[in-house]
Amino acid sequence: MTEDTIKRRARGLDRAFDILDFLKEIGQPLRPNDIANGIGSPKSTVYELVASLLERRILEPVGKDGHVYLGRQLYFLGQAHLRHFDLSREADHALQEIVSQTRETAQMCLLNGRKYTVALMKEGERHFRISSDIGENAPIPWTASGRLLLAHLSDQQINDLIDPDDFILPDGERLPMETFLKEIRQAGIDGFFSFDSVADTFTHCFAAPVKDPSGVAICTLCIVAPRADAKTNYSDYRRVLIESANSLARRINE
């Protein structure tokens, strides 16, 4: 295999992942033509890749108008991954324990490139539900977890990582970089961060880091609670969350 062939296949693989990421972000079936426009790739290339992904059931046809969407083969691949991924398996147990102790919604959160995402979630034991879309990307500065997941980075690395537009909060206000950095450094010292959610007006978010042996947060465990309940039970929720995060870290680092 020549070097040119290897590079061409690598570019094709990159574009195939661009297709999958774009469909995940849009969240609905699309025609190959629309995908090509969305990811800025040649239509002929996208049509060829879509055909290959359909053949392997990574994509599936939807309807009769040429739309495609993420295929069930991805589900089976994901299940195989989870069976052998200690963090997800152990985190699932940790979230169940948090819910049993607090009755609140619990989440495991990660960085996904330059964004934040909820990777796992257990809904709280309440008559009304607080939930998030698993796998949906959000701006890091909007999140309590973001302060902890960036704590190992330098100020310059943080500045380079985050899109400047991500500092614009849902209410239109801009979060100053100086404030964000100060909160990150304090969160790193405390091993904990919480605040009233900037994405809605009725929840409070708690986050604690799950660290690797070098002290870097590989994920966070979170509690999302109604603000009134968060205020009443603040100390208990903080204790439960930190204990759960530390226990999870010990299990996966053994």
Short mmCIF file of all heavy atoms in Angstrom, two decimals, residues 156-199:
data_model
loop_
_atom_site.label_atom_id
_atom_site.label_comp_id
_atom_site.label_asym_id
_atom_site.label_seq_id
_atom_site.Cartn_x
_atom_site.Cartn_y
_atom_site.Cartn_z
N GLN A 156 -3.40 29.63 29.71
CA GLN A 156 -3.29 29.75 28.25
C GLN A 156 -3.94 28.56 27.55
O GLN A 156 -4.61 28.72 26.52
CB GLN A 156 -1.82 29.84 27.84
CG GLN A 156 -1.62 30.14 26.35
CD GLN A 156 -2.26 31.44 25.93
OE1 GLN A 156 -2.01 32.49 26.54
NE2 GLN A 156 -3.12 31.41 24.90
N GLN A 157 -3.77 27.37 28.10
CA GLN A 157 -4.40 26.19 27.50
C GLN A 157 -5.91 26.29 27.56
O GLN A 157 -6.60 25.90 26.61
CB GLN A 157 -3.93 24.93 28.23
CG GLN A 157 -2.49 24.54 27.93
CD GLN A 157 -2.03 23.38 28.79
OE1 GLN A 157 -2.32 23.32 29.99
NE2 GLN A 157 -1.28 22.46 28.19
N ILE A 158 -6.44 26.82 28.64
CA ILE A 158 -7.89 27.00 28.77
C ILE A 158 -8.37 28.02 27.76
O ILE A 158 -9.40 27.83 27.08
CB ILE A 158 -8.25 27.42 30.20
CG1 ILE A 158 -7.95 26.28 31.17
CG2 ILE A 158 -9.71 27.84 30.30
CD1 ILE A 158 -8.02 26.67 32.63
N ASN A 159 -7.65 29.11 27.64
CA ASN A 159 -8.01 30.16 26.68
C ASN A 159 -8.01 29.62 25.25
O ASN A 159 -8.89 29.95 24.45
CB ASN A 159 -7.05 31.33 26.81
CG ASN A 159 -7.43 32.49 25.91
OD1 ASN A 159 -8.42 33.18 26.14
ND2 ASN A 159 -6.64 32.73 24.88
N ASP A 160 -7.02 28.78 24.93
CA ASP A 160 -6.92 28.22 23.58
C ASP A 160 -8.01 27.19 23.32
O ASP A 160 -8.43 27.01 22.17
CB ASP A 160 -5.55 27.57 23.38
CG ASP A 160 -4.42 28.58 23.38
OD1 ASP A 160 -4.69 29.79 23.19
OD2 ASP A 160 -3.26 28.17 23.58
N LEU A 161 -8.45 26.49 24.36
CA LEU A 161 -9.41 25.39 24.19
C LEU A 161 -10.82 25.88 23.89
O LEU A 161 -11.52 25.31 23.04
CB LEU A 161 -9.42 24.53 25.46
CG LEU A 161 -10.44 23.39 25.49
CD1 LEU A 161 -10.09 22.31 24.48
CD2 LEU A 161 -10.55 22.80 26.90
N ILE A 162 -11.26 26.92 24.57
CA ILE A 162 -12.67 27.29 24.55
C ILE A 162 -12.96 28.33 23.47
O ILE A 162 -12.27 29.35 23.38
CB ILE A 162 -13.11 27.81 25.93
CG1 ILE A 162 -12.92 26.69 26.98
CG2 ILE A 162 -14.56 28.26 25.91
CD1 ILE A 162 -13.26 27.11 28.37
N ASP A 163 -13.99 28.07 22.70
CA ASP A 163 -14.45 29.02 21.70
C ASP A 163 -14.92 30.29 22.40
O ASP A 163 -15.69 30.23 23.37
CB ASP A 163 -15.62 28.40 20.92
CG ASP A 163 -16.04 29.22 19.73
OD1 ASP A 163 -16.10 30.46 19.85
OD2 ASP A 163 -16.33 28.63 18.67
N PRO A 164 -14.47 31.46 21.97
CA PRO A 164 -14.88 32.72 22.63
C PRO A 164 -16.40 32.88 22.74
O PRO A 164 -16.89 33.43 23.74
CB PRO A 164 -14.28 33.80 21.73
CG PRO A 164 -13.09 33.14 21.10
CD PRO A 164 -13.48 31.70 20.89
N ASP A 165 -17.15 32.37 21.77
CA ASP A 165 -18.61 32.50 21.82
C ASP A 165 -19.23 31.67 22.94
O ASP A 165 -20.35 31.93 23.36
CB ASP A 165 -19.23 32.08 20.49
CG ASP A 165 -18.99 33.09 19.38
OD1 ASP A 165 -18.63 34.24 19.70
OD2 ASP A 165 -19.15 32.73 18.20
N ASP A 166 -18.48 30.67 23.44
CA ASP A 166 -19.02 29.82 24.50
C ASP A 166 -19.06 30.53 25.85
O ASP A 166 -19.65 30.01 26.80
CB ASP A 166 -18.19 28.54 24.62
CG ASP A 166 -18.50 27.55 23.50
OD1 ASP A 166 -19.42 27.83 22.71
OD2 ASP A 166 -17.82 26.52 23.41
N PHE A 167 -18.45 31.71 25.94
CA PHE A 167 -18.54 32.49 27.16
C PHE A 167 -19.81 33.34 27.21
O PHE A 167 -20.09 33.98 28.22
CB PHE A 167 -17.30 33.39 27.30
CG PHE A 167 -16.06 32.64 27.67
CD1 PHE A 167 -15.13 32.29 26.71
CD2 PHE A 167 -15.82 32.26 28.98
CE1 PHE A 167 -13.98 31.59 27.04
CE2 PHE A 167 -14.67 31.56 29.33
CZ PHE A 167 -13.75 31.22 28.36
N ILE A 168 -20.57 33.35 26.11
CA ILE A 168 -21.86 34.03 26.11
C ILE A 168 -22.89 33.10 26.73
O ILE A 168 -23.19 32.04 26.19
CB ILE A 168 -22.27 34.44 24.69
CG1 ILE A 168 -21.21 35.36 24.07
CG2 ILE A 168 -23.64 35.12 24.71
CD1 ILE A 168 -21.48 35.71 22.62
N LEU A 169 -23.44 33.47 27.87
CA LEU A 169 -24.36 32.64 28.61
C LEU A 169 -25.76 32.70 28.00
O LEU A 169 -26.05 33.58 27.17
CB LEU A 169 -24.39 33.09 30.07
CG LEU A 169 -23.02 33.08 30.77
CD1 LEU A 169 -23.15 33.62 32.19
CD2 LEU A 169 -22.41 31.68 30.78
N PRO A 170 -26.66 31.77 28.38
CA PRO A 170 -27.99 31.74 27.78
C PRO A 170 -28.77 33.05 27.91
O PRO A 170 -29.63 33.36 27.08
CB PRO A 170 -28.69 30.61 28.54
CG PRO A 170 -27.59 29.70 28.93
CD PRO A 170 -26.43 30.60 29.26
N ASP A 171 -28.49 33.84 28.95
CA ASP A 171 -29.20 35.11 29.13
C ASP A 171 -28.58 36.25 28.32
O ASP A 171 -29.02 37.40 28.40
CB ASP A 171 -29.26 35.51 30.60
CG ASP A 171 -27.87 35.75 31.22
OD1 ASP A 171 -26.87 35.66 30.49
OD2 ASP A 171 -27.81 36.03 32.42
N GLY A 172 -27.54 35.94 27.53
CA GLY A 172 -26.91 36.95 26.69
C GLY A 172 -25.71 37.63 27.33
O GLY A 172 -24.96 38.32 26.63
N GLU A 173 -25.53 37.45 28.63
CA GLU A 173 -24.38 38.03 29.32
C GLU A 173 -23.12 37.24 28.99
O GLU A 173 -23.17 36.04 28.74
CB GLU A 173 -24.61 38.03 30.83
CG GLU A 173 -25.73 38.95 31.29
CD GLU A 173 -25.39 40.41 31.09
OE1 GLU A 173 -24.22 40.79 31.32
OE2 GLU A 173 -26.30 41.18 30.71
N ARG A 174 -21.97 37.92 28.99
CA ARG A 174 -20.70 37.24 28.75
C ARG A 174 -19.99 36.99 30.07
O ARG A 174 -19.83 37.90 30.88
CB ARG A 174 -19.81 38.07 27.83
CG ARG A 174 -18.41 37.47 27.61
CD ARG A 174 -17.58 38.27 26.64
NE ARG A 174 -18.03 38.06 25.28
CZ ARG A 174 -17.65 37.04 24.50
NH1 ARG A 174 -16.81 36.14 24.98
NH2 ARG A 174 -18.10 36.93 23.27
N LEU A 175 -19.58 35.74 30.28
CA LEU A 175 -18.81 35.39 31.47
C LEU A 175 -17.38 35.85 31.27
O LEU A 175 -16.70 35.40 30.34
CB LEU A 175 -18.86 33.88 31.69
CG LEU A 175 -18.00 33.33 32.84
CD1 LEU A 175 -18.52 33.83 34.18
CD2 LEU A 175 -17.98 31.81 32.80
N PRO A 176 -16.86 36.73 32.11
CA PRO A 176 -15.47 37.18 31.95
C PRO A 176 -14.48 36.03 32.12
O PRO A 176 -14.65 35.19 33.01
CB PRO A 176 -15.31 38.23 33.06
CG PRO A 176 -16.70 38.63 33.42
CD PRO A 176 -17.54 37.43 33.22
N MET A 177 -13.47 35.99 31.29
CA MET A 177 -12.44 34.96 31.39
C MET A 177 -11.79 34.97 32.77
O MET A 177 -11.51 33.92 33.35
CB MET A 177 -11.38 35.16 30.30
CG MET A 177 -10.16 34.25 30.45
SD MET A 177 -10.53 32.49 30.33
CE MET A 177 -10.52 32.31 28.53
N GLU A 178 -11.58 36.17 33.34
CA GLU A 178 -10.93 36.27 34.64
C GLU A 178 -11.77 35.57 35.72
O GLU A 178 -11.24 34.88 36.60
CB GLU A 178 -10.72 37.74 35.03
CG GLU A 178 -9.78 38.50 34.10
CD GLU A 178 -10.44 38.91 32.78
OE1 GLU A 178 -11.68 38.79 32.67
OE2 GLU A 178 -9.71 39.32 31.87
N THR A 179 -13.08 35.75 35.66
CA THR A 179 -13.98 35.10 36.61
C THR A 179 -13.94 33.59 36.45
O THR A 179 -13.87 32.84 37.42
CB THR A 179 -15.42 35.62 36.41
OG1 THR A 179 -15.46 37.03 36.62
CG2 THR A 179 -16.37 34.94 37.39
N PHE A 180 -13.98 33.14 35.20
CA PHE A 180 -13.97 31.71 34.91
C PHE A 180 -12.69 31.06 35.42
O PHE A 180 -12.72 30.01 36.07
CB PHE A 180 -14.11 31.50 33.40
CG PHE A 180 -14.27 30.07 32.97
CD1 PHE A 180 -15.27 29.26 33.50
CD2 PHE A 180 -13.42 29.53 32.01
CE1 PHE A 180 -15.42 27.95 33.09
CE2 PHE A 180 -13.57 28.22 31.60
CZ PHE A 180 -14.57 27.42 32.13
N LEU A 181 -11.55 31.68 35.17
CA LEU A 181 -10.27 31.13 35.62
C LEU A 181 -10.19 31.09 37.15
O LEU A 181 -9.68 30.12 37.73
CB LEU A 181 -9.11 31.95 35.06
CG LEU A 181 -8.89 31.85 33.54
CD1 LEU A 181 -7.80 32.83 33.11
CD2 LEU A 181 -8.53 30.43 33.14
N LYS A 182 -10.69 32.14 37.78
CA LYS A 182 -10.68 32.18 39.25
C LYS A 182 -11.52 31.03 39.82
O LYS A 182 -11.13 30.36 40.79
CB LYS A 182 -11.20 33.53 39.74
CG LYS A 182 -11.18 33.68 41.26
CD LYS A 182 -11.67 35.06 41.67
CE LYS A 182 -11.66 35.22 43.19
NZ LYS A 182 -12.15 36.57 43.60
N GLU A 183 -12.69 30.78 39.20
CA GLU A 183 -13.56 29.70 39.66
C GLU A 183 -12.90 28.33 39.43
O GLU A 183 -13.03 27.42 40.25
CB GLU A 183 -14.90 29.77 38.95
CG GLU A 183 -15.73 30.97 39.37
CD GLU A 183 -16.99 31.15 38.54
OE1 GLU A 183 -17.10 30.52 37.46
OE2 GLU A 183 -17.87 31.94 38.96
N ILE A 184 -12.20 28.18 38.32
CA ILE A 184 -11.50 26.93 38.03
C ILE A 184 -10.44 26.66 39.09
O ILE A 184 -10.33 25.54 39.61
CB ILE A 184 -10.86 26.98 36.63
CG1 ILE A 184 -11.94 26.91 35.55
CG2 ILE A 184 -9.86 25.84 36.45
CD1 ILE A 184 -11.42 27.14 34.15
N ARG A 185 -9.64 27.66 39.41
CA ARG A 185 -8.56 27.46 40.38
C ARG A 185 -9.13 27.13 41.76
O ARG A 185 -8.60 26.27 42.47
CB ARG A 185 -7.67 28.70 40.45
CG ARG A 185 -7.00 29.04 39.13
CD ARG A 185 -6.28 27.86 38.52
NE ARG A 185 -5.87 28.10 37.13
CZ ARG A 185 -5.78 27.16 36.22
NH1 ARG A 185 -6.08 25.91 36.53
NH2 ARG A 185 -5.42 27.45 35.00
N GLN A 186 -10.21 27.79 42.16
CA GLN A 186 -10.80 27.50 43.47
C GLN A 186 -11.43 26.12 43.48
O GLN A 186 -11.32 25.38 44.47
CB GLN A 186 -11.84 28.57 43.82
CG GLN A 186 -12.34 28.48 45.26
CD GLN A 186 -11.21 28.68 46.26
OE1 GLN A 186 -10.46 29.64 46.18
NE2 GLN A 186 -11.07 27.74 47.20
N ALA A 187 -12.08 25.75 42.37
CA ALA A 187 -12.68 24.41 42.28
C ALA A 187 -11.61 23.33 42.36
O ALA A 187 -11.81 22.28 42.98
CB ALA A 187 -13.47 24.28 40.97
N GLY A 188 -10.46 23.60 41.74
CA GLY A 188 -9.36 22.64 41.81
C GLY A 188 -8.86 22.44 43.22
O GLY A 188 -8.51 21.33 43.62
N ILE A 189 -8.84 23.51 43.99
CA ILE A 189 -8.41 23.43 45.39
C ILE A 189 -9.45 22.69 46.23
O ILE A 189 -9.12 21.83 47.04
CB ILE A 189 -8.17 24.85 45.96
CG1 ILE A 189 -6.98 25.51 45.26
CG2 ILE A 189 -7.95 24.79 47.47
CD1 ILE A 189 -6.83 26.98 45.58
N ASP A 190 -10.73 23.03 46.02
CA ASP A 190 -11.82 22.47 46.82
C ASP A 190 -12.16 21.04 46.44
O ASP A 190 -12.73 20.29 47.25
CB ASP A 190 -13.07 23.34 46.69
CG ASP A 190 -12.88 24.74 47.24
OD1 ASP A 190 -11.95 24.94 48.05
OD2 ASP A 190 -13.66 25.63 46.85
N GLY A 191 -11.86 20.64 45.20
CA GLY A 191 -12.32 19.34 44.72
C GLY A 191 -13.82 19.27 44.63
O GLY A 191 -14.44 18.21 44.77
N PHE A 192 -14.45 20.40 44.30
CA PHE A 192 -15.91 20.49 44.28
C PHE A 192 -16.29 21.83 43.69
O PHE A 192 -15.58 22.81 43.84
CB PHE A 192 -16.47 20.37 45.71
CG PHE A 192 -17.95 20.60 45.82
CD1 PHE A 192 -18.84 19.58 45.53
CD2 PHE A 192 -18.45 21.83 46.24
CE1 PHE A 192 -20.21 19.79 45.63
CE2 PHE A 192 -19.80 22.04 46.34
CZ PHE A 192 -20.69 21.03 46.05
N PHE A 193 -17.44 21.87 43.01
CA PHE A 193 -17.99 23.14 42.54
C PHE A 193 -19.49 23.01 42.42
O PHE A 193 -20.00 21.96 42.02
CB PHE A 193 -17.40 23.56 41.19
CG PHE A 193 -17.76 24.97 40.79
CD1 PHE A 193 -17.05 26.04 41.30
CD2 PHE A 193 -18.81 25.22 39.92
CE1 PHE A 193 -17.37 27.35 40.96
CE2 PHE A 193 -19.14 26.52 39.57
CZ PHE A 193 -18.42 27.58 40.09
N SER A 194 -20.21 24.06 42.76
CA SER A 194 -21.66 24.06 42.56
C SER A 194 -22.12 25.48 42.25
O SER A 194 -21.48 26.45 42.67
CB SER A 194 -22.40 23.51 43.78
OG SER A 194 -22.49 24.49 44.80
N PHE A 195 -23.21 25.57 41.51
CA PHE A 195 -23.82 26.87 41.24
C PHE A 195 -25.24 26.68 40.72
O PHE A 195 -25.64 25.58 40.36
CB PHE A 195 -22.98 27.70 40.27
CG PHE A 195 -22.90 27.22 38.83
CD1 PHE A 195 -22.30 28.02 37.87
CD2 PHE A 195 -23.42 26.01 38.41
CE1 PHE A 195 -22.22 27.62 36.54
CE2 PHE A 195 -23.35 25.59 37.09
CZ PHE A 195 -22.75 26.40 36.16
N ASP A 196 -26.01 27.78 40.75
CA ASP A 196 -27.33 27.77 40.13
C ASP A 196 -27.14 27.63 38.63
O ASP A 196 -26.36 28.39 38.02
CB ASP A 196 -28.09 29.05 40.44
CG ASP A 196 -28.58 29.10 41.88
OD1 ASP A 196 -28.65 28.03 42.52
OD2 ASP A 196 -28.90 30.20 42.36
N SER A 197 -27.84 26.68 38.02
CA SER A 197 -27.68 26.43 36.60
C SER A 197 -27.91 27.70 35.79
O SER A 197 -28.84 28.46 36.05
CB SER A 197 -28.67 25.35 36.15
OG SER A 197 -28.68 25.22 34.75
N VAL A 198 -27.05 27.90 34.78
CA VAL A 198 -27.25 29.05 33.88
C VAL A 198 -28.18 28.68 32.73
O VAL A 198 -28.61 29.55 31.97
CB VAL A 198 -25.91 29.54 33.31
CG1 VAL A 198 -24.98 29.98 34.43
CG2 VAL A 198 -25.24 28.49 32.44
N ALA A 199 -28.50 27.38 32.59
CA ALA A 199 -29.34 26.93 31.48
C ALA A 199 -30.82 26.98 31.82
O ALA A 199 -31.67 26.93 30.92
CB ALA A 199 -28.95 25.52 31.06
#
